[in-house]
Amino acid sequence: MNTAYNFAFFDEGSKREIRRATLKAIAIPGYQVPFASREMPIGRGWGTGGLQLTLSLIGKNDVLKVIDQGSDESVNAVNIKKLVSDTTGVATTDHTTEATLIQSRHRIPEVPLKKNQILILQVPLPEPLRYYEPSESETKKLHAEKEYSGAWLMLFEQIMKYGSMTTGADHPVLVHDRYVMAPSPIPRFDNPKMHESEALILLGAGREKKVYAVPPYTKVVSLDFEDYPFEPESFLDKHCRLCGSTGVFLDELVDEGTNETFYQCNDTSYCIETLNEVEPFGVK
Amino acid sequence: MTLDIVHDLQSVYRKLVDSTSRPGLISDLRKEAALVEEEDQKGCSASLLLLALTLFDQEVSFKVFSKQADSVSKTINQLTYAKPTEAKKADFLLILQDAEKGSLEEAIINAKAGTLKNPHTSAFIFVEVESVTNGEALLLKGPGIHSTELVHLDINENWVESRQEKNKEYPLGIDMIFIDQHHQLLSLPRTTQISRNRVMG
Ligand SMILES: [Zn+2]
């Protein structure tokens, strides 16, 4: 642990500010609360919003997991883990069930989250209405008036154009029947995990200086139409080449030698744990 | 032993997060409250002071309802640099146990409820009560609650109705935190719906 820094990097004043904003975010599910985002020693767009949330929450007894697009080992995840553990001394883990704080970019882990865990999602673009309304003051007004016809129109235009909702990641959701919210660029596959989640979910956008929240047991509905219901990515009849899992989010890969398409768990720690259950090796 | 403003206040904050994201979940602040120096309290309970130390600084304002409001305000201002102000402007309203009857309702009526564009510019109300585990049964519903949650709260005022009136235009509203004599904390954010439970469970 590097004692030249404050515990958890931040000074206490910065923590207080984001803590006040976070409590308001929990009290108003899906509403984006502004906060004074600080400069961080990692590049913007590398998860500074999520990192600031993590630093404001973390205590000596926490166990931290950081994942980037399903991987604990990516440079981004490793850098964030190193910064946090260097300034706090907390333990880190790859095992989802062992973690008390999970900071993630682009995924919600496959292992269902529990009560004693907080999921922190990194958000590049917190404003789901930004695609059709560039002005912040206008989007604030639209949220205030619960005027979301533009969001539906956007989805409708995609259906007209492509015959289906091709939103890919970051498919907008309606939270507690009140706010349309960007779930961050998680695949549609992960959207249903936000509904009535056992764990608190906090979302942080560093560049846009917003925090928002989905409390546990909160209604989260992906926007859709009666004729075109919301559909998560389907991996029917497909399984992970490594661990054999089905019903998880799979990455499609191509074998360069044979040109054959195969699939692999996107959540690498889940994949390794499943493999170890099947074929135990080493000391557990 | 004295309070560690980094680690002990982090612990208080996490309990605030737990209780606010799971209304009805009672958090225990006894360990941290025991570290608050007697001389710092000046008529304010140790656990209420902990909340002030966790969340207050020069950027926020507060209003104290108490027979000793002046001295308590002075103490909080000296410890946190937060500014005392009138109820209608305060970010935090503190209702101490010795406050005159009717203070809680008065605070609820006057507190900032935020605006439709900025509902987060609303007030938090912190209330000292005898007990958050004994007293009138209240049934809670809303985000953070798996079906329903039953709590017992000992307050001698018609605050439930005043709160409901104040929070009727969601997302406008107030968020409330109750602290009892045993440093137990209950949080009722604006999304929590309360019904008085006449049937003893
Ligand atoms: Zn796998």
Side-chain angles (χ1 to χ4, degrees), chain A residues 23, chain B residues 11-30 32-33 45-52 54-55 124-133 140 151-153 176-189:
Chain A
L23 290 174
Chain B
S11 165
V12 171
Y13 171 62
R14 280 291 281 277
K15 289 172 186 179
L16 270 171
V17 168
D18 284 348
S19 282
T20 305
S21 57
R22 300 172 196 279
L25 176 80
I26 309 283
S27 284
D28 185 356
L29 297 182
R30 270 179 303 183
E32 296 83 0
S45 70
S47 38
L48 201 62
L49 208 52
L50 283 174
L51 297 187
T54 304
L55 299 173
F124 258 111
I125 302 184
F126 295 165
V127 196
E128 275 183 7
V129 296
E130 186 65 33
S131 171
V132 297
T133 48
L140 312 181
V151 293
H152 294 84
L153 202 50
M176 302 180 79
I177 289 171
F178 300 87
I179 286 270
D180 79 7
Q181 296 297 297
H182 310 287
H183 309 296
Q184 305 299 301
L185 180 149
L186 169 73
S187 181
L188 298 177

Side-chain angles (χ1 to χ4, degrees), chain B residues 71-92:
Chain B
S71 74
V72 174
S73 295
K74 205 173 153 203
T75 303
I76 291 175
N77 169 257
Q78 281 169 350
L79 290 171
T80 68
Y81 305 110
K83 297 177 287 284
T85 186
E86 56 189 287
K88 286 186 171 166
K89 291 184 181 163
D91 300 313
F92 296 89

Side-chain angles (χ1 to χ4, degrees), chain A residues 1-29:
Chain A
M1 182 173 164
N2 189 336
T3 48
Y5 288 107
N6 293 313
F7 178 82
F9 185 78
F10 272 159
D11 60 281
E12 294 309 298
S14 302
K15 287 181 194 164
R16 269 194 302 273
E17 212 265 339
I18 191 170
R19 285 171 179 174
R20 288 194 296 262
T22 304
L23 290 174
K24 291 286 185 188
I26 295 168
I28 316 169

Side-chain angles (χ1 to χ4, degrees), chain A:
Chain A
M1 182 173 164
N2 189 336
T3 48
Y5 288 107
N6 293 313
F7 178 82
F9 185 78
F10 272 159
D11 60 281
E12 294 309 298
S14 302
K15 287 181 194 164
R16 269 194 302 273
E17 212 265 339
I18 191 170
R19 285 171 179 174
R20 288 194 296 262
T22 304
L23 290 174
K24 291 286 185 188
I26 295 168
I28 316 169
Y31 168 72
Q32 302 163 53
V33 182
F35 79 108
S37 184
R38 314 283 163 167
E39 291 297 328
M40 301 302 294
I42 57 166
R44 277 196 174 171
W46 285 61
T48 62
L51 180 59
Q52 291 178 73
L53 276 171
T54 298
L55 294 171
S56 72
L57 287 160
I58 202 160
K60 285 183 286 191
N61 300 323
D62 276 308
V63 179
L64 176 72
K65 173 181 166 83
V66 181
I67 32 173
D68 184 8
Q69 306 197 60
S71 165
D72 299 78
E73 304 301 328
S74 87
V75 176
N76 192 3
V78 170
N79 281 341
I80 289 173
K81 249 184 293 195
K82 186 170 183 316
L83 174 73
V84 179
S85 86
D86 278 358
T87 59
T88 60
V90 302
T92 59
T93 184
D94 289 354
H95 298 287
T96 300
T97 50
E98 285 173 4
T100 55
L101 295 179
I102 301 168
Q103 184 178 331
S104 174
R105 174 173 174 263
H106 294 192
R107 279 309 310 276
I108 296 178
E110 299 294 355
V111 180
L113 299 180
K114 293 284 170 216
K115 230 178 153 159
N116 63 337
Q117 302 180 306
I118 299 176
L119 175 66
I120 299 138
L121 289 170
Q122 299 172 194
V123 182
L125 298 168
E127 181 48 72
L129 313 183
R130 188 66 73 228
Y131 299 100
Y132 60 90
E133 179 48 68
S135 150
E136 169 74 5
S137 128
E138 278 303 310
T139 50
K140 276 191 88 73
K141 200 171 139 209
L142 294 172
H143 284 294
E145 293 166 357
K146 204 182 172 190
E147 171 44 62
Y148 292 131
S149 51
W152 298 93
L153 190 64
M154 181 181 73
L155 291 174
F156 187 70
E157 280 171 356
Q158 286 185 345
I159 293 167
M160 289 294 100
K161 211 166 160 187
Y162 304 104
S164 69
M165 282 194 279
T166 51
T167 47
D170 216 353
H171 184 100
V173 294
L174 183 66
V175 180
H176 186 45
D177 292 321
R178 180 57 183 82
Y179 285 103
V180 167
M181 183 190 93
S184 85
I186 54 174
R188 297 195 305 281
F189 184 87
D190 285 344
N191 276 22
K193 297 177 188 170
M194 284 191 160
H195 177 65
E196 304 271 326
S197 159
E198 265 190 57
L200 167 65
I201 303 171
L202 297 174
L203 302 98
R207 193 181 48 219
E208 309 255 344
K209 308 182 182 198
K210 296 283 175 59
V211 297
Y212 50 105
V214 177
Y217 307 117
T218 297
K219 187 175 168 191
V220 177
V221 180
S222 300
L223 298 193
D224 69 353
F225 299 93
E226 230 168 81
D227 302 351
Y228 291 91
F230 170 81
E231 276 175 31
E233 295 85 351
S234 163
F235 302 98
L236 208 66
D237 306 328
K238 300 185 176 73
H239 64 273
C240 172
R241 180 174 73 157
L242 300 174
C243 72
S245 285
T246 56
V248 297
F249 191 84
L250 298 168
D251 287 332
E252 190 178 299
L253 302 161
V254 177
D255 186 314
E256 283 180 21
T258 63
N259 248 342
E260 245 178 290
T261 302
F262 63 92
Y263 295 87
Q264 227 165 277
C265 292
N266 170 268
D267 183 337
T268 51
S269 73
Y270 172 85
C271 193
I272 292 166
E273 281 166 17
T274 311
L275 264 175
N276 287 351
E277 273 169 35
V278 180
E279 295 174 69
F281 60 85
V283 185
K284 275 194 112 175

Side-chain angles (χ1 to χ4, degrees), chain B residues 25-179:
Chain B
L25 176 80
I26 309 283
S27 284
D28 185 356
L29 297 182
R30 270 179 303 183
K31 196 176 124 260
E32 296 83 0
L35 301 172
V36 175
E37 305 282 349
E38 192 88 26
E39 61 192 273
D40 284 338
Q41 296 186 28
K42 302 226 175 69
C44 181
S45 70
S47 38
L48 201 62
L49 208 52
L50 283 174
L51 297 187
L53 290 167
T54 304
L55 299 173
F56 290 14
D57 54 30
Q58 67 283 355
E59 290 174 34
V60 304
S61 59
F62 67 98
K63 160 80 181 170
V64 174
F65 291 77
S66 160
K67 290 202 172 69
Q68 308 174 63
D70 287 346
S71 74
V72 174
S73 295
K74 205 173 153 203
T75 303
I76 291 175
N77 169 257
Q78 281 169 350
L79 290 171
T80 68
Y81 305 110
K83 297 177 287 284
T85 186
E86 56 189 287
K88 286 186 171 166
K89 291 184 181 163
D91 300 313
F92 296 89
L93 290 86
L94 284 60
I95 322 299
L96 273 54
Q97 259 217 300
D98 71 351
E100 273 178 54
K101 189 162 163 42
S103 293
L104 178 54
E105 284 187 73
E106 188 192 328
I108 291 171
I109 290 164
N110 286 305
K112 292 192 289 185
T115 64
L116 280 173
K117 262 193 169 182
N118 292 298
H120 66 285
T121 56
S122 52
F124 258 111
I125 302 184
F126 295 165
V127 196
E128 275 183 7
V129 296
E130 186 65 33
S131 171
V132 297
T133 48
N134 269 302
E136 187 185 6
L138 301 172
L139 197 66
L140 312 181
K141 270 182 91 165
I145 300 165
H146 188 49
S147 71
T148 58
E149 192 74 52
L150 190 66
V151 293
H152 294 84
L153 202 50
D154 191 11
I155 303 179
N156 211 357
E157 287 192 45
N158 283 330
W159 67 281
V160 173
E161 292 72 20
S162 308
R163 175 186 177 275
Q164 197 173 348
E165 178 66 22
K166 188 78 181 184
N167 290 352
K168 71 180 178 199
E169 284 178 67
Y170 180 82
L172 306 191
I174 47 158
D175 306 307
M176 302 180 79
I177 289 171
F178 300 87
I179 286 270

